Amino acid sequence: MSAAGTHSGHDLDDPRERARLRALRDFGLPDGEHPAADDLAALVAVAAAAAGVPTAAIHLLAGDEQRALATVGFEIVALPRRDSMCSIVVDEPRPVVVADAREDPRFSANPFVREGRVRFYAAFQLRTAADVSIGTLCVFDDRPQVLGAEQRSLLQALADRVVGVLELDRRVRELTGEVRELEEVRAGLRADNESLRAFAGQVSHDLRAPLSTMTLSLELLGVGLAQGWEPSDLEPVLARALRGATRMRGVVENLFVHATGAPASPHPVDLGSLVEDAREDLGPALDGVDVTARALPVVVADGPLLRLVLQNLLSNAAKFAATDHGGEVSVTASRRDRSWLVEVADHGRGVPEAEREHVFEAFARVGEHAELAPGTGLGLATCRAIIEAHGGRIGLRETAGGGATVWFELPDPR
């Protein structure tokens, strides 16, 4: 059984209806079992006892239905709104108490009233703090009766308490969500701190070595100048200092791109010239490495950023180029439909297939000899950031005959 009454329909454009639906959504209603169902069931039971009736319910009005949050004396069922007595009185400014619904023109035609299942009916509006009525706490009986002032007062207090329970549950859900967000933020900060510590340690280590080289070289250069060394004796010392400065510049450039995500400004650039610039920047780091680069095209790219990509790839290839192959590194390019495919290949020990995706992650150091490879672990991550900023792709595959080939694809709109 459910409290029911005739209703001619409702206007979804009515501001009160829109406010009601918003309030129900804020409360997480009416779909599904409510977390505070036990508390609401207890309130309904008290309401029935206070009114001295066998049946009571907390009814909500949602769209074309009346739905019960909690009931006593009958099962919870959804009711078409056109048959809802509560929908008629939900927006009344005060509670509605009817001793005998047969004598009230608002309810006399209701099928439940006609069938004799509802005589006494009382509805106490459930008003939110924003003065939006979302439903009713109603009590009813199949016999006429009258409510006393004390009973009315108690039922009104119970209706207010129903809204209080819903408000409390909403706040608990909000706080739970906020706590969850704070936990996620804390976990993220913890991970960031771990990454920052690792980052700081790696950067400190990789800057310390070239800085020490520069410091010692400059000190020795000062001694040589003071003692009147010949220029030929000073040249190796100066070259060592320059090598340290070049290594430091590479670390700093990678850090800048990684930290700022420097945007690309593409324009036609000669890929061969960029390779030569990168080789010159690397200088002694390529000693003993045979870099071949033939017939490279003009591509559309940000010149300084693409130079940094090539510098990283050549440096990386040089570290792992196998000496029994003469330390060979090749740079080639081939035309695709609307792009250029550029490949930097070495014949070193290669990268296991399972680890090839990871090499492009920040701080990644893969392979059994990873600890022997100097660098911050940002080189390939920087390359990926730059290539993706150009709208391209980058990857790694095995070189024919052994080794690793890093390839990247650059769009060419021409």
Side-chain angles (χ1 to χ4, degrees):
M1 173 183 169
S2 175
T6 58
H7 187 49
S8 59
H10 63 285
D11 186 358
L12 291 177
D13 292 328
D14 187 334
R16 294 175 301 180
E17 289 294 334
R18 293 198 299 270
R20 190 168 10 257
L21 291 174
R22 284 195 299 269
L24 290 174
R25 284 195 294 267
D26 288 344
F27 284 129
L29 299 169
D31 296 322
E33 183 177 349
H34 198 270
D38 291 343
D39 294 334
L40 297 174
L43 289 173
V44 171
V46 172
V53 298
T55 50
I58 297 172
H59 282 146
L60 303 176
L61 296 174
D64 293 324
E65 287 186 328
Q66 171 185 280
R67 301 186 189 183
L69 271 186
T71 63
V72 63
F74 63 96
E75 294 183 359
I76 294 178
V77 294
L79 185 72
R81 185 161 173 164
R82 64 178 179 272
D83 295 330
S84 168
M85 296 173 72
C86 293
S87 68
I88 297 174
V89 299
V90 66
D91 290 315
E92 292 292 327
R94 60 183 65 84
V96 173
V97 179
V98 178
D100 189 340
R102 292 174 301 181
E103 299 176 359
D104 192 308
R106 293 173 295 182
F107 310 118
S108 58
N110 180 268
F112 291 109
V113 175
R114 291 200 310 269
E115 293 169 7
R117 299 168 64 182
V118 176
R119 292 289 182 269
F120 166 72
Y121 171 76
F124 293 77
Q125 291 81 7
L126 304 176
R127 297 191 186 280
T128 68
D131 197 30
V132 176
S133 179
I134 59 174
T136 62
L137 169 64
C138 58
V139 292
F140 38 95
D141 198 353
D142 59 1
R143 296 179 301 174
Q145 65 172 288
V146 177
L147 283 182
E150 186 174 342
Q151 290 174 301
R152 289 177 180 243
S153 178
L154 179 55
L155 288 168
Q156 180 63 66
L158 290 171
D160 294 340
R161 181 58 184 158
V162 168
V163 177
V165 168
L166 297 178
E167 292 279 6
L168 179 61
D169 178 73
R170 175 175 62 179
R171 186 56 184 152
V172 168
R173 285 186 289 106
E174 290 174 350
L175 289 174
T176 300
E178 291 171 5
V179 169
R180 188 181 301 112
E181 290 177 2
L182 288 174
E183 288 292 340
E184 292 173 355
V185 169
R186 186 171 69 173
L189 289 174
R190 189 182 297 115
D192 288 344
N193 286 336
E194 291 296 330
S195 297
L196 184 58
R197 278 194 289 269
F199 175 78
Q202 290 175 350
V203 171
S204 175
H205 174 272
D206 292 305
L207 286 177
R208 188 182 298 118
L211 184 59
S212 296
T213 297
M214 290 177 59
T215 301
L216 291 174
S217 298
L218 292 175
E219 288 176 352
L220 186 57
L221 187 62
V223 171
L225 290 172
Q227 295 181 359
W229 290 7
E230 294 294 327
S232 59
D233 296 324
L234 297 176
E235 286 176 0
V237 180
L238 182 59
R240 191 179 304 116
L242 289 174
R243 286 197 296 271
T246 298
R247 285 182 59 191
M248 288 183 64
R249 183 175 71 177
V251 172
V252 171
E253 286 176 337
N254 282 334
L255 291 175
F256 176 77
V257 172
H258 182 72
T260 64
S265 300
H267 54 277
V269 291
D270 188 319
L271 187 60
S273 297
L274 292 182
V275 171
E276 289 305 314
D277 291 343
R279 292 175 63 175
E280 184 177 346
D281 286 342
L282 291 170
L286 297 180
D287 285 349
V289 178
D290 181 18
V291 178
T292 61
R294 297 188 181 92
L296 296 179
V298 171
V299 298
V300 177
D302 184 301
L305 291 181
L306 188 56
R307 180 196 59 76
L308 183 56
V309 169
L310 294 167
Q311 180 178 317
N312 273 308
L313 296 185
L314 289 175
S315 175
N316 207 53
K319 294 172 191 174
F320 300 107
T323 54
D324 57 352
H325 286 80
E328 296 177 358
V329 175
S330 64
V331 183
T332 59
S334 56
R335 181 72 180 180
R336 293 294 186 262
D337 183 22
R338 293 180 62 82
S339 65
W340 284 101
L341 178 68
V342 181
E343 298 176 300
V344 179
D346 66 60
H347 296 279
R349 53 181 169 268
V351 177
E353 185 174 359
E355 298 179 345
R356 289 174 190 168
E357 281 298 317
H358 299 303
V359 300
F360 295 99
E361 297 173 359
F363 313 123
R365 314 287 282 274
V366 300
E368 57 179 333
H369 303 293
E371 71 282 357
L372 302 179
T376 58
L378 287 175
L380 290 178
T382 300
C383 292
R384 180 173 67 176
I386 292 173
I387 295 303
E388 289 181 351
H390 283 77
R393 301 181 302 134
I394 190 169
L396 186 148
R397 60 174 175 80
E398 184 178 3
T399 303
T405 296
V406 178
W407 59 267
F408 60 87
E409 198 170 17
L410 287 174
D412 190 352
R414 295 175 299 174

